[in-house]
Amino acid sequence: MSNDSNPVQFELMPGGHLNGQLRVAGDKSISHRAIMLSAIAEGESNITGFLEGEDTLATLAAFRTMGVNISDPKDGKVTVQGVGMHGLQAPDTALDLGNSGTSMRLLSGLLAGQDFAVTLTGDKSLSTRPMRRVTDPLALMGATIDSTEKGTPPLCIQTGSQLNSIAYTLPMASAQVKSCVLLAGLYAKGETCVTEPAPTRDHTERMLQGFGYQVQREGSRVCLQGGGRLSGMDIDVPADISSATFFMVGAAIASGSDVSLEHVGINPTRTGVIEILRLMGADISLHNEREVGGEPVADIQVRASQLRGIQIPEAQVPLAIDEFPAIFIAAACAEGETVLTGAEELRVKESDRIAVMADGLTVLGIDCQVTDDGIIIQGGQLQGGTVNSHGDHRIAMSFAMAALRAKAPIKILDCANVATSFPDFVTLAKTAGLGIQIS
Ligand code: S3P
């Protein structure tokens, strides 16, 4: 599963533009949740549009190891034979979740209430990521979970006793922590509530309701009663707005571009990138807006335009949390200064996305200043050079798009993890007009 020892580099020719109608990879967040909830539902669930990326395949493999019958994904179609809330079986090995923070944080909640012990492990990057944010609330619910002294994986979840419900206020805006507590709450006695400091993606709440499980939302508080059941259903996973973002930014910055991204999820808790790019002057239009299985979807058209630097509104930060590496590339191509604040969470993603992006932008000749909770980027002329993605998929894909406006070739190191979220990225990017090769 791990890509720790698998060097892949991207080589980019400078210039060009993007055109065409593209369907990017399936939504990663929704694909994870589709497997998890189908597995503990009663009856069969049929998933279409499933992301066949390494992260979501890690979740799928984990449930197979716990005895769930799941078909081999083919063209985004997967069938899950749900085992019911109490039908998971003790795995005979640790569950290796690769690079996937979502798998580890959501599974820790879902598994805390099972009557078996289980260990969750991951690759080099996941093994450095903070897990106290999930083990702390789960301990309050009565779970016993061991981690390293630093609060990092592996997580050893002890055989659960009956969990207690809690009313928990999230210390940070995190959909993974919210989802972890809600999934544990399914197995707790009484009502579990989570209050969030700012809106975060709500796919867990929406999908639970789709599976027939009641979830109440009042303002920033979400509550559910433990002890209910889920009924299998059909799930149509939209294309991932986080994957669409690379093409949105590429089209916005490269003169002559006009791309249409089809069937993209535009859940309002995910559309910060559209707001931010529009504030920067991007030409983005939504077509054919519709709702598919409880999630809003649209075709997104982006045409090139001159961007300008902005102060990014802090309220948009959690709504665009995965899109900042690409937004930084847009800022580098904008006229004037872009200022990001309130984004300290970027430091604990698959890499420290503020530091790693700043290093790469500097190599490419862009003036930027790192701050505690963000970055200040001066728009300028991108040069060529070699940048290191540090195994972070979103950083690799963002710098690939930077080549559209660079003066000379760009080489990007450590790109294997692009396969975690967007296995067809290179093929699709080439089709759209990006001069990209793998070496
Ligand atoms: C995710 C939530 C976000 C996001 C991650 C996916 C999810 O993480 O960065 O890629 O599916 O719930 P945080 O909850 O840590 O913000």
Side-chain angles (χ1 to χ4, degrees):
M1 180 61 58
S2 166
N3 281 318
D4 292 348
S5 58
N6 176 13
V8 171
Q9 300 176 6
F10 288 169
E11 311 258 2
L12 281 302
M13 292 307 290
H17 52 259
L18 302 182
N19 280 109
Q21 286 198 327
L22 310 167
R23 178 151 176 165
V24 301
D27 189 283
K28 184 150 77 72
S29 293
I30 298 177
S31 296
H32 280 300
R33 288 156 171 84
I35 295 289
M36 292 179 190
L37 297 188
S38 299
I40 58 165
E42 287 167 24
E44 182 173 291
S45 293
N46 290 295
I47 307 171
T48 50
F50 178 73
L51 167 64
E52 295 174 42
E54 289 176 1
D55 275 13
T56 44
L57 291 173
T59 291
L60 186 153
F63 281 94
R64 277 186 175 159
T65 308
M66 292 186 287
V68 183
N69 190 345
I70 307 177
S71 68
D72 288 336
K74 192 163 183 296
D75 302 328
K77 292 192 174 62
V78 187
T79 300
V80 181
Q81 307 297 337
V83 295
M85 294 289 289
H86 298 283
L88 296 176
Q89 291 164 21
D92 47 16
T93 56
L95 302 178
D96 179 0
L97 303 171
N99 194 244
S100 178
T102 307
S103 307
M104 188 165 290
R105 297 209 178 107
L106 270 58
L107 276 180
S108 65
L110 197 153
L111 297 178
Q114 306 294 330
D115 60 3
F116 52 79
V118 51
T119 297
L120 308 179
T121 64
D123 71 3
K124 199 167 104 196
S125 154
L126 184 54
S127 300
T128 65
R129 296 186 65 188
M131 293 296 152
R132 286 211 179 101
R133 55 181 60 202
V134 290
T135 55
D136 284 352
L138 292 173
L140 292 174
M141 298 178 83
T144 309
I145 304 180
D146 299 326
S147 61
T148 67
E149 248 172 44
K150 286 190 191 150
T152 52
L155 296 185
C156 303
I157 305 174
Q158 309 299 331
T159 302
S161 45
Q162 172 66 57
L163 296 180
N164 312 309
S165 54
I166 47 169
Y168 190 67
T169 300
L170 296 179
M172 74 291 287
S174 166
Q176 291 179 352
V177 181
K178 171 177 65 174
S179 301
C180 164
V181 175
L182 291 175
L183 292 175
L186 298 176
Y187 291 89
K189 225 190 281 165
E191 188 183 47
T192 293
C193 294
V194 183
T195 302
E196 40 185 5
T200 65
R201 66 192 69 192
D202 63 357
H203 306 302
T204 303
E205 300 91 299
R206 285 177 188 248
M207 201 181 285
L208 278 168
Q209 283 169 313
F211 276 92
Y213 207 101
Q214 284 214 357
V215 178
Q216 266 89 38
R217 173 173 278 276
E218 250 187 67
S220 58
R221 190 173 151 100
V222 192
C223 299
L224 56 75
Q225 288 283 340
R229 41 204 277 218
L230 285 74
S231 312
M233 67 163 187
D234 292 346
I235 303 167
D236 177 352
V237 180
D240 198 326
I241 191 165
S242 298
S243 297
T245 289
F246 306 110
F247 291 89
M248 289 167 62
V249 166
I253 62 174
S255 166
S257 297
D258 184 350
V259 295
S260 244
L261 300 154
E262 294 172 348
H263 204 72
V264 181
I266 53 158
N267 180 316
T269 60
R270 298 285 300 280
T271 48
V273 62
I274 296 179
E275 291 303 314
I276 293 167
L277 290 177
R278 277 183 173 159
L279 286 174
M280 296 177 82
D283 177 356
I284 302 177
S285 40
L286 303 187
H287 303 282
N288 198 12
E289 287 187 47
R290 57 215 182 261
E291 188 160 309
V292 175
E295 290 280 351
V297 168
D299 303 327
I300 303 179
Q301 185 183 14
V302 185
R303 285 180 281 220
S305 56
Q306 177 57 56
L307 302 181
R308 54 182 174 270
I310 57 163
Q311 167 84 47
I312 297 174
E314 284 198 8
Q316 294 297 331
V317 170
L319 310 179
I321 194 67
D322 289 337
E323 285 62 79
F324 283 104
I327 291 169
F328 292 177
I329 299 299
C333 298
E335 242 169 49
E337 180 175 275
T338 295
V339 181
L340 172 67
T341 55
E344 47 280 276
E345 275 294 300
L346 291 181
R347 293 196 176 276
V348 290
K349 295 295 177 190
E350 286 84 330
S351 70
D352 176 342
R353 286 186 173 158
I354 294 179
V356 174
M357 283 303 299
D359 287 350
L361 287 171
T362 305
V363 167
L364 299 180
I366 297 297
D367 181 9
C368 55
Q369 187 191 332
V370 168
T371 59
D372 284 349
D373 66 343
I375 192 167
I376 303 168
I377 298 172
Q378 310 295 337
Q381 173 59 58
L382 285 158
Q383 308 297 325
T386 299
V387 298
N388 194 331
S389 77
H390 288 276
D392 186 323
H393 54 137
R394 300 202 193 282
I395 289 183
M397 291 184 273
S398 299
F399 279 120
M401 290 299 169
L404 290 161
R405 285 280 291 272
K407 274 265 168 74
I410 294 179
K411 184 193 266 196
I412 309 169
L413 307 179
D414 205 0
C415 299
N417 281 334
V418 166
T420 61
S421 68
F422 201 164
D424 291 338
F425 172 73
V426 169
T427 311
L428 212 59
K430 261 190 208 162
T431 309
L434 190 70
I436 184 168
Q437 298 293 339
I438 300 179
S439 66

